[in-house]
Amino acid sequence: MKYYIVTMLLWVGAIQAFSQQPRLKQVDEYLAATGQTVELKGAPERRYGLLSTLYNNQKNLMLNLPDLEDYGAREVIPFGFRLSTASEIELAGQNENMAESTVRPFYSKSIFSGVSYQFCDSVIYGITLFYDTQDNAKRAAIEKNLDRHFKKADYKQGGAVVYSDPDYAVRLLPGKVEFYSLFHFPVVETFYPGVSHKVWYGPYNYEANGASVMLAFYNQESKENNIQSAFKVSYKYPAGKPFKMNLIRFILDDITYELPLEIEYSDVADAGKAVEERDTRTFVFPEVLKAIDRSKTVKVELVGEGGRLLYEMPAFQRASVHTAYEYFRWNVTNPMAKYRAW
């Protein structure tokens, strides 16, 4: 009798494990099917805080702004603060779970005149400080503080200067400074038949010489909790000479990864003054993500028929790599499978 009971329990356990994820011998066919998802117009999306997705034991994490040596900035509510219904902060606009506050003045003497906040699920992920546009001395003092904190800028384009590190992305503009917590920055999840894409966008694109690169890593997740890692890239450049991107290289400390690109969309932008080329899905092995994440320096080379663009990956793009890899590492159900379809 005991023999039959044990045998039955073993069979039940095997059936349950079998039903929870696809057979290994069918992985290629399964991924080929899910990898051909058609981009639907108006595919449903939702945005939510990263704290809802990773590191559940650190949901109370709060970050202060980079040290600006300014009394007014000390009044700023830190990242990670959750807005309550009894708060005095007034909202200027709200779209589903995203909201932005009105500009609140500082009480302490400050080089800044006021502050506004951006919320996702009532949690602060963005802070904007305002200053007098006409006061060049204030801008110089702000830029000096940011240079000291971040050591160097990621890039300068027009009147904008962008900085980032593993915690923050900052953009200095005429009249205001934008601060974003990369840890609290919203995740964008898009739903397709049978799969969803959790995209780890950063707050900015990389810009140089009138061109702009959006590079975001994400995880494609099926209803069986099988996860593939990928990235999407968009390149916008001045119209006149077609670029036609076909290759991207990630140049690390000791190795270079070269991946082909395919232009899925090519659109005219900025009233005909620019062209934007997009590749929305290139799959990558988790080992590649891990190597990029751990490399001391990462350079990105975008290659096309009309030329090439080489730049050092800023921290706000590296945060996308890190998050995609960490999500895969902690959530994939079958990390030992080697997918030829990638």
Side-chain angles (χ1 to χ4, degrees):
M1 186 66 180
K2 291 182 179 179
Y3 171 79
Y4 290 109
I5 293 175
V6 172
T7 303
M8 184 177 297
L9 290 174
L10 290 173
W11 274 105
V12 169
I15 292 171
Q16 184 177 6
F18 178 83
S19 64
Q20 286 180 348
Q21 57 180 323
R23 301 182 191 181
L24 284 178
K25 66 179 181 180
Q26 295 178 345
V27 163
D28 286 342
E29 290 82 359
Y30 169 78
L31 292 180
T34 61
Q36 299 299 320
T37 303
V38 177
E39 292 281 346
L40 300 177
K41 291 185 178 179
E45 287 187 350
R46 69 184 176 102
R47 288 167 171 77
Y48 52 88
L50 178 58
L51 293 177
S52 303
T53 309
L54 295 175
Y55 316 122
N56 291 331
N57 61 332
Q58 296 183 23
K59 284 193 174 182
N60 294 322
L61 175 72
M62 290 193 178
L63 297 174
N64 292 315
L65 289 174
D67 181 16
L68 297 178
E69 295 183 349
D70 179 75
Y71 285 101
R74 296 178 188 179
E75 297 179 17
V76 172
I77 301 171
F79 295 112
F81 176 85
R82 184 175 296 275
L83 184 68
S84 71
T85 55
S87 174
E88 295 180 359
I89 295 177
E90 297 179 359
L91 298 182
Q94 191 165 7
N95 182 12
E96 296 182 348
N97 65 332
M98 308 292 290
E100 186 172 356
S101 77
T102 58
V103 179
R104 297 177 58 83
F106 286 125
Y107 296 103
S108 299
K109 184 178 179 181
S110 173
I111 60 176
F112 301 104
S113 59
V115 59
S116 68
Y117 302 96
Q118 289 174 278
F119 302 89
C120 177
D121 293 326
S122 299
V123 174
I124 295 176
Y125 73 91
I127 298 172
T128 302
L129 300 179
F130 297 88
Y131 68 94
D132 185 357
T133 307
Q134 305 302 321
D135 195 331
N136 294 328
K138 286 185 177 180
R139 173 166 176 135
I142 297 168
E143 190 166 353
K144 181 180 179 181
N145 274 273
L146 293 175
D147 286 338
R148 176 179 53 80
H149 180 87
F150 291 98
K151 309 305 180 188
K152 67 174 183 176
D154 291 330
Y155 66 86
K156 297 182 179 182
Q157 183 80 350
V161 185
V162 175
Y163 303 84
S164 63
D165 64 14
D167 293 321
Y168 307 103
V170 179
R171 182 166 64 169
L172 173 61
L173 294 165
K176 64 180 181 180
V177 192
E178 301 170 345
F179 295 85
Y180 290 99
S181 167
L182 298 177
F183 188 83
H184 298 90
F185 200 80
V187 177
V188 179
E189 185 168 16
T190 307
F191 300 91
Y192 302 97
V195 297
S196 69
H197 289 174
K198 289 183 174 68
V199 188
W200 320 106
Y201 289 107
Y204 305 116
N205 296 343
Y206 179 85
E207 299 183 20
N209 301 322
S212 174
V213 180
M214 187 285 297
L215 178 61
F217 291 78
Y218 65 93
N219 297 104
Q220 176 173 288
E221 189 167 4
S222 72
K223 59 184 179 180
E224 294 87 0
N225 198 33
N226 216 322
I227 300 173
Q228 299 167 271
S229 299
F231 66 86
K232 56 174 62 179
V233 60
S234 173
Y235 182 52
K236 186 167 73 172
Y237 55 90
K241 183 179 179 181
F243 187 79
K244 295 184 179 179
M245 61 182 183
N246 53 34
L247 189 71
I248 189 169
R249 295 189 180 99
F250 297 103
I251 304 170
L252 312 185
D253 296 335
D254 54 357
I255 192 171
T256 297
Y257 291 103
E258 187 174 287
L259 298 168
L261 297 178
E262 179 181 352
I263 301 175
E264 299 175 35
Y265 305 96
S266 182
D267 301 323
V268 177
D270 299 341
K273 297 180 181 179
V275 177
E276 184 175 9
E277 300 175 353
R278 287 178 284 169
D279 181 332
T280 61
R281 180 166 45 227
T282 298
F283 291 110
V284 290
F285 282 108
E287 293 85 357
V288 175
L289 287 180
K290 181 179 179 181
I292 296 174
D293 186 34
R294 298 191 176 184
S295 181
K296 185 176 181 180
T297 60
V298 180
K299 292 185 178 180
V300 179
E301 185 176 22
L302 197 60
V303 181
E305 295 180 10
R308 62 186 63 207
L309 174 69
L310 177 66
Y311 70 94
E312 185 172 343
M313 182 184 285
F316 62 81
Q317 286 185 350
R318 297 194 64 163
S320 179
V321 178
H322 175 76
T323 310
Y325 173 67
E326 287 295 305
Y327 186 87
F328 176 90
R329 190 164 72 95
W330 288 104
N331 292 277
V332 70
T333 57
N334 192 6
M336 300 306 294
K338 297 295 184 182
Y339 303 139
R340 291 196 302 274
W342 289 15

